[in-house]
Amino acid sequence: MRPTVQDVARHAGVSLASVDRVLNQRPGVRDKTIAKVEAAIAMLGYVKDISAANLAKGIAYRFAFVIPEGSNSFMRGLEREIEAVKQYSAVDRTEISIYKVPPFDGVALAAALDALDPKRYSGVAVVATEAVAVRDALNRLRRNNVPVVTLISDIPAFQADAYVGIDNVAAGRTAARLMGKFVGGRSGKVALVAGSMLVRDHVERRLGFEQVIRSDYGHMHCLPVIEAQDDSRRVQEYLSECFEAHSDIVGVYNMGAGNRGLIEVLSGNVQEGRTAIAHELTDHTRRALGAGILDAIIHQDAGHEVRSALRILRAKIEKKALVAGQEMIRIEIYVNENL
């Protein structure tokens, strides 16, 4: 059984009231008593149950998730994972709110963050767009002692309590390695599609991808990035125009969303040997992978990311250590054979 405060009091030879004062860092306790209690805690391996203490005090955690709205399938999957966690959050007196803002809109995101009352919220998780206004809004929360984690996409100019997501440079490098292996020795161009270069995850994926292509696959050339705002119709339109302008495209890498537009274009522009790699396993990318329209999918576990964000926020509030490696979001690779 886990040691209790009663065990600590008995082992230290002090009253329960003294143990409570030490645990909660209240004044009026002699140094000798503090030393006895701390020694007993170390000897017994006692860990304070913050959730139980909060329950007894009527304290509730309130967390806000600020995410993009729209048709992005991965973001809608992320929203479903947040809703799933909300169903069980009342058990440990946790309230979770979801706020949705237009994607890639720094002004709207900053306004949503500024609207969060720091006296109400215990922590914030945000899918961030790089903008000065967003950084300033996040800094305001931090100045008011509200822990913040960036989710999926980081803002290096803002010192968040944690970033929860895959290593996007490594993801881009992984996509390039797969592209090089699939394309082989054939020379040609690679079409790059992104949502926006205003989000760090897409910038880093492009960086990693082009690093590997330039260093190891000099027979391939990356075209300028098509920024399609993660909109399927724009992806379809812009990529179709790209195919018309370049007859020697041997590969396509979509580092953002809008995969339905990508699949539509590839379905109507069948070319032997053309490789297509995209991000996030969804219903439509799964079908396209099975049909051979896409060759590989790079994926991240949205449920893991939501749960990790909450664990990190709670740990920051409770000043508890996290389990090493538990919060690492791994890059997953899917091909037709391991669906």
Side-chain angles (χ1 to χ4, degrees):
M1 293 180 62
R2 292 174 57 182
T4 65
V5 287
Q6 289 84 356
D7 297 326
V8 173
R10 280 194 298 269
H11 192 86
V14 301
S15 68
L16 281 173
S18 294
V19 173
D20 181 73
R21 289 192 187 96
V22 174
L23 288 174
N24 292 288
Q25 299 179 332
R26 296 193 183 98
V29 186
R30 293 182 298 172
D31 290 343
K32 185 177 180 180
T33 301
I34 293 173
K36 285 182 179 180
V37 173
E38 290 179 343
I41 288 172
M43 176 68 70
L44 297 172
Y46 171 80
V47 177
K48 184 179 179 182
D49 190 338
I50 301 293
S51 295
N54 286 348
L55 182 61
K57 298 173 185 176
I59 296 173
Y61 289 136
R62 296 183 178 92
F63 296 120
F65 281 80
V66 187
I67 63 175
E69 63 186 12
S71 60
N72 184 324
S73 297
F74 177 75
M75 291 301 171
R76 299 291 64 79
L78 182 74
E79 184 179 358
R80 287 193 295 273
E81 294 292 347
I82 300 169
E83 291 288 357
V85 171
K86 283 178 64 175
Q87 295 181 27
Y88 305 99
S89 60
V91 174
D92 57 1
R93 297 186 62 78
T94 298
E95 296 178 13
I96 298 173
S97 301
I98 302 173
Y99 297 93
K100 292 186 283 187
V101 298
F104 314 120
D105 189 334
V107 174
L109 176 56
L113 292 169
D114 280 331
L116 298 177
D117 183 355
K119 293 181 181 179
R120 171 174 171 79
Y121 287 100
S122 312
V124 175
V126 56
V127 179
T129 296
E130 273 199 279
V132 173
V134 173
R135 184 192 62 201
D136 290 345
L138 292 173
N139 280 327
R140 180 187 66 88
L141 290 170
R142 289 294 304 279
R143 286 195 300 272
N144 284 280
N145 299 313
V146 178
V148 175
V149 299
T150 50
L151 193 62
I152 313 300
S153 185
D154 199 11
I155 301 184
F158 168 72
Q159 189 61 50
D161 289 280
Y163 160 65
V164 181
I166 59 174
D167 179 334
N168 284 296
V169 173
R173 293 178 64 87
T174 300
R177 186 66 64 196
L178 291 169
M179 183 70 71
K181 295 294 185 182
F182 281 130
V183 171
R186 296 189 305 279
S187 297
K189 298 169 183 172
V190 179
L192 302 179
V193 182
S196 171
M197 291 294 101
L198 293 176
V199 288
R200 178 58 55 167
D201 55 337
H202 294 188
V203 170
E204 291 181 344
R205 290 172 190 178
R206 176 192 182 184
L207 173 64
F209 188 88
E210 292 191 344
Q211 283 176 343
V212 172
I213 294 297
R214 287 172 179 169
S215 64
D216 295 356
Y217 303 103
H219 57 285
M220 289 190 287
H221 170 68
C222 292
L223 292 169
V225 175
I226 297 169
E227 295 184 68
Q229 303 296 304
D230 283 349
D231 182 87
S232 295
R233 288 174 295 179
R234 292 186 183 184
V235 171
Q236 183 177 353
E237 177 186 350
Y238 299 163
L239 192 56
S240 295
E241 292 173 355
C242 185
F243 282 167
E244 291 176 5
H246 303 278
S247 60
D248 57 344
I249 293 177
V250 295
V252 181
Y253 173 41
N254 184 15
M255 62 196 79
N259 281 319
R260 278 168 285 194
L262 170 67
I263 293 165
E264 188 69 27
V265 173
L266 293 175
S267 299
N269 289 270
V270 178
Q271 177 177 313
E272 187 67 27
R274 180 184 288 154
T275 297
I277 297 172
H279 276 260
E280 315 313 346
L281 191 66
T282 62
D283 289 341
H284 46 276
T285 58
R286 177 185 289 271
R287 288 193 295 269
L289 201 57
I293 298 169
L294 298 178
D295 296 282
I297 295 292
I298 296 174
H299 184 68
Q300 55 191 313
D301 187 336
H304 185 183
E305 288 167 329
V306 170
R307 295 187 295 273
S308 179
L310 290 170
R311 282 193 297 266
I312 291 170
L313 289 172
R314 292 180 69 93
K316 291 293 181 182
I317 297 165
E318 298 170 2
K319 296 180 173 58
K320 291 169 60 176
L322 294 163
V323 177
Q326 184 179 23
E327 312 313 332
M328 179 182 292
I329 309 300
R330 290 169 174 79
I331 297 170
E332 302 173 14
I333 302 171
Y334 289 92
V335 293
N336 187 29
E337 286 71 21
N338 71 334
L339 279 176

